[in-house]
Amino acid sequence: MRIAAAAIVAILAAPAAHAQAPAAPPPVPEVMPFDISYGQPIGLDLANKAIAAAEVEAKKHNWKMSISVVGPAGYLVAHATMDGTQYASIEISQVKARTSALFRRQTSVFQNGVNSGGTPAQLSLVAVGGGVASEGGFPIVVDGKLIGAIAASGGLSSQDAVTAKAGLDAITVK
């Protein structure tokens, strides 16, 4: 009886011991993600063209948005706040644009990381950079070079993204 009980305990304990074994770390990729070269910073005329297109998109939906364009170092080049936009969105659009420029990726990457539990490395990037993990910020890449970023804030993050993307599409060639 003792042998049978010991066998049952051993069988039941085996999967638990196996489940506690640490998983093998993922392989280290050879290619760096989001490795975009820097270009000449976006100029005021092009930044204003992007903002104007984003504003047209927002008005089409009756959305009140704050729209910001920054250079590749994250410094503000141009900004517009539509009438009636919540005041918090002014800073949020600027920080979204800065996040997108400094990390050379869409801010939705960080939002997706946060929403899915993300890795500590993903989440710490936003915390260290003082960034925003919310959809609506896009890097502006021309001729394979990062020249800045555009972002919008004022609605749901999906509305912010549609607005900013319209501005991006108006100044980039596909």
Side-chain angles (χ1 to χ4, degrees):
M1 191 69 138
R2 275 193 229 169
I3 295 173
I8 290 172
V9 169
I11 290 170
L12 294 176
H18 178 69
Q20 293 176 0
V28 176
E30 289 299 321
V31 178
M32 288 182 62
F34 309 105
D35 189 18
I36 306 167
S37 298
Y38 295 106
Q40 187 68 26
I42 189 170
L44 183 59
D45 289 342
L46 196 56
N48 283 332
K49 181 179 176 183
I51 288 173
E55 183 180 1
V56 166
E57 182 68 24
K59 283 181 177 177
K60 189 166 53 171
H61 301 283
N62 198 30
W63 298 336
K64 299 169 183 123
M65 293 285 170
S66 175
I67 307 155
S68 298
V69 175
V70 300
Y75 294 107
L76 190 63
V77 173
H79 174 84
T81 301
M82 297 171 64
D83 293 345
T85 303
Q86 65 183 3
Y87 292 122
S89 292
I90 296 168
E91 184 173 350
I92 293 168
S93 71
Q94 291 177 30
V95 176
K96 278 187 190 181
R98 181 177 178 271
T99 301
S100 186
L102 292 179
F103 293 105
R104 302 184 287 195
R105 63 199 79 182
Q106 295 180 26
T107 54
S108 63
V109 171
F110 294 112
Q111 177 177 312
N112 294 340
V114 168
N115 290 343
S116 67
T119 66
Q122 287 175 318
L123 303 178
S124 66
L125 286 177
V126 176
V128 169
V132 171
S134 179
E135 190 177 3
F138 296 87
I140 301 171
V141 179
V142 174
D143 296 328
K145 306 254 187 219
L146 180 80
I147 65 167
I150 183 169
S153 177
L156 300 172
S157 61
S158 57
Q159 294 168 331
D160 297 349
V162 167
T163 301
K165 183 77 165 64
L168 175 67
D169 290 346
I171 62 170
T172 56
V173 178
K174 302 292 175 243

